[in-house]
Structures are given as structure tokens and as C-alpha cells.
Amino acid sequence: MNDQYHFASDNTAGVCPEAWEALRKADSGFEPSYGADTHTETACRLFREFFETDCEVFFVFNGTAANSLALASLCQSYHSVIAHASAHVETDECGAPEFFSNGTKLLLGVGQNGKLDVASAEALVTKRKDIHYPRPRVLSVSQPTELGTCYTPGELSALSELALRYGLKIHMDGARFFLSLIHLGVSPSEVTWKVGVDVLCFGGTKSGLGFSEAVVFFDKNLAEEFDYRCKQSGQLASKMRYLSAPWTDWLGSGTYVKYAKNAIACARSLAAQASDIPGVELLYPVEANAVFLRLPPHIDARLQSCGWKYYRFIGDGTRFMCSWQTKEADVGRLIADMKSAQP
Ligand SMILES: *Cc1c(COP(=O)(O)O)cnc(C)c1O
């Protein structure tokens, strides 16, 4: 066991106590399998209340499956999906979106701070109209982005207006969606279906659950036969109640609020304290739980020798990730080690 906090990813953290408790409660007696159980029914009802609309909800084991299967359900193999070049669907899913859609192509746009720029997306849509170009069908946005920033409702509306103009669907990769709600101080509907999102991949795992992501279809027509896709790809849980029950507590009791607030507060504190250290540069605004820093070599070397874990392969510089489990004291120790580095 390693007691030192890992800043590498929010999935190095464990499962929160409330999720364990929900699993324990679900673990009594017998229930119908494959999603016909009472826990799943309750969870789906709470999703509808949470989003204030009659959405269709499915649970899968991880985010790659959620994104890939959702995109596959929106596209034919000759279509294309427009996403930011740093998007997880492009950089970290091993080609799964292309694989599960039988070849749908990702077209990569740009934009500041990991957010897809409307003009860049439009250029990809209007570049060609001929039959030799994979037909644009979906705009995919990550909320928050891979660089830890959030699209505002206004920015989403602008993308939605573009999508309407060109007949595109909108997919949202919300692996850390809870954080964006807290950061923006908005209701779930304001950054989803009210701004044109057709399907949301809503992450539970990184937020503090163990192994559950919800695929939420706001356009129910698009959910047709999605259950078959889940089954065929090995993502239909037979004991579904264990995937759905933890959501019941999270949405029903609002447990996610305190944990999302904690992750964001720790990230902001880390960013503020690190920025005060000579030579350390904060690379992007902190609008979720990620802090990207450019570290001088002596500080980087010092943190390595102290055993701190963080990533270097996402964005520029180094990434420090906070989670539901980060404590202000963990941030304090990290900062103290940065300060103790000798040039
Ligand atoms: C982690 C993550 C996912 C899901 O990844 P899995 O490892 O497949 O669960 C999807 N999108 C984003 C932005 C992520 O950070």
C-alpha cells in the first residue's frame, strides 16, 4: 500500500464511502438481472429528475465504452465526428470510437484551452461537400475538457447553433461532468439538452464511484437498440444493480456536491500556491480538478525524488490531478517539496 497521494490521475483514488454503502445495501436478496432490477429503475428515475427531462439511461463499465458506443449509435461508418485535437476520444481510447462505429472518422479541430472553437469546427464541416469526404455528423465536446477547463453555457449554445445549422448531433464526454456543474454553478439541464446536447457520457468512476458510467440520451430516438450495442460489446452488466445503485445515493442525496467541491478547492489551492513559486508557470485556467504546470527542471527532479506521481503526456508541462479523496494536507506536502528544491 502507498500512503502518499497520487496526483497522476483522479482514478488513482479509491471508492468513496457512500458508494460502498450503496453497494452494500444493494447486496441483499435477489433481484432480476440485466437492468430489470429496482435499483436500476430508481437510478434511472433520479437521472430524469436530475436533468428535468425524460431521458434514456444506460450503465456501462468505463468511459471508453460509453463514448465509443454513444458515438457509434449516432453515426454510420461513412460519417465523421468533429472533436478537439486533445479530446480523449482521439488521444486515449485506442481507436475504440472508430472500431465500434465500423470506421467513422474523427476530424480534429482546434481551440484555446482544450475547447473546440466554433470557427474551427465550421471549417471542418464546410471544407468539402463531395462524396469523397466522410460526412460530418457529430460535434463531440468534453465537459470539462482534457485541459481542465469548462465550456460555459454560452459557448455550448454557439456550438449548438452551428450543429443545428449543419444537421449535426452533439455528444458530450462528461467523464468529470459533476465538476463542471459545480465550477459553473449551473443546473444539469443548462449545459446539456437545453443547449442541444443529444447524448452525455456521464462519468461516475473518476468522481468517486468504483466502476460505472452512465450514457444519457436526451433524444430518445437515438437510444433505439442501444441495449444491443452494450450487449454485443460486452458492456451489459448481468448484475446491473451494482453499477446503478451507487448513482442513486449520488443523485438522490447530492453526495457528489461535497466531493466535487473538494476536488476543485484542492486544485485551486494547488494552482495558487504553485504559481507563487519562482519559475513555476500555470498553463491553463483551473476550472475543474486539473492543474497543469510548467516546472523548472530542479523542481521536477525534486518531486520525482520525493516519489510524487503526476503525468507529463497530457497537454504541455506536467499535470496534477485532484480528486474526491485529495486533502489540503496532500497539497501542502507537495508544495513544501516544490519549495525545498535547490536550483
Ligand atoms: C478518463 C476519461 C474517459 C474514460 O476513460 P476510461 O479509462 O475508459 O474509463 C473519458 N473521457 C475523458 C475526458 C476522460 O478523462
Side-chain angles (χ1 to χ4, degrees):
M1 192 179 100
N2 188 346
D3 274 339
Q4 187 170 17
Y5 188 80
H6 276 210
F7 285 97
S9 176
D10 30 9
N11 53 28
T12 60
V15 174
C16 73
E18 290 86 350
W20 278 122
E21 181 57 17
L23 287 172
R24 198 193 57 73
K25 277 197 207 143
D27 193 31
S28 70
F30 302 91
E31 284 279 351
S33 49
Y34 297 108
D37 61 281
T38 52
H39 299 280
T40 303
E41 189 188 319
T42 305
C44 290
R45 178 174 55 74
L46 288 170
F47 272 96
R48 290 178 192 119
E49 288 172 13
F50 190 69
F51 286 106
E52 304 170 89
T53 190
D54 186 19
C55 47
E56 200 80 67
V57 185
F58 302 84
F59 299 96
V60 295
F61 292 103
N62 61 41
T64 298
N67 282 333
S68 304
L69 298 176
L71 289 172
S73 73
L74 303 181
C75 294
Q76 296 291 336
S77 56
Y78 50 83
H79 283 143
S80 54
V81 172
I82 293 167
H84 193 278
S86 68
H88 199 271
V89 288
E90 161 67 11
T91 60
D92 284 297
E93 300 191 351
C94 198
E98 294 91 331
F99 177 77
F100 283 107
S101 58
N102 292 312
T104 299
K105 192 171 167 62
L106 299 183
L107 301 178
L108 305 178
V110 294
Q112 272 216 315
N113 297 329
K115 296 192 225 179
L116 187 62
D117 184 68
V118 176
S120 167
E122 184 162 18
L124 288 168
V125 182
T126 54
K127 188 171 164 190
R128 299 252 303 264
K129 289 237 177 319
D130 61 84
I131 204 162
H132 308 283
Y133 189 63
R135 192 169 180 199
R137 170 71 173 166
V138 175
L139 274 186
S140 175
V141 292
S142 305
Q143 178 78 320
T145 68
E146 281 69 15
L147 300 184
T149 54
C150 291
Y151 288 89
T152 62
E155 288 168 332
L156 291 170
S157 292
L159 285 167
S160 160
E161 196 261 325
L162 177 79
L164 262 182
R165 204 149 17 103
Y166 294 104
L168 307 174
K169 302 290 176 199
I170 299 185
H171 160 258
M172 181 175 273
D173 175 353
R176 305 183 176 92
F177 184 70
F178 282 124
L179 298 174
S180 62
L181 296 181
I182 299 298
H183 169 76
L184 295 165
V186 292
S187 73
S189 63
E190 284 175 278
V191 280
T192 55
W193 61 271
K194 285 186 181 165
V195 285
V197 174
D198 295 292
V199 55
L200 168 70
C201 296
F202 193 163
T205 308
K206 281 176 181 151
S207 312
L209 306 189
F211 39 78
S212 183
E213 313 278 305
V215 182
V216 183
F217 285 92
F218 299 107
D219 178 346
K220 291 179 95 170
N221 294 323
L222 297 171
E224 207 186 311
E225 301 190 345
F226 191 75
D227 43 354
Y228 288 88
R229 270 184 207 286
C230 292
K231 176 67 191 180
Q232 189 183 46
S233 58
Q235 288 286 328
L236 180 66
S238 53
K239 297 188 181 180
M240 185 69 87
R241 59 176 142 155
Y242 297 97
L243 265 65
S244 57
W247 286 96
T248 305
D249 167 74
W250 271 50
L251 300 184
S253 318
T255 298
Y256 72 89
V257 175
K258 70 173 175 186
Y259 287 137
K261 280 186 175 165
N262 177 70
I264 294 172
C266 287
R268 286 182 188 164
S269 165
L270 197 167
Q273 294 185 70
S275 309
D276 280 346
I277 300 173
V280 175
E281 190 191 342
L282 179 66
L283 295 174
Y284 310 111
V286 176
E287 298 177 347
N289 61 338
V291 180
F292 288 85
L293 300 174
R294 184 160 296 128
L295 297 176
H298 68 281
I299 295 187
D300 193 19
R302 172 80 184 142
L303 294 185
Q304 298 280 321
S305 74
C306 294
W308 290 104
K309 303 277 193 291
Y310 46 93
Y311 278 168
R312 302 153 183 286
F313 68 89
I314 300 170
D316 293 324
T318 50
R319 185 188 81 167
F320 296 83
M321 223 44 183
C322 297
S323 72
W324 71 273
Q325 217 169 8
T326 316
K327 295 191 174 61
E328 189 56 48
D330 300 319
V331 173
R333 275 192 288 275
L334 179 80
I335 295 293
D337 284 343
M338 284 188 192
K339 287 182 174 165
S340 71
Q342 301 297 325

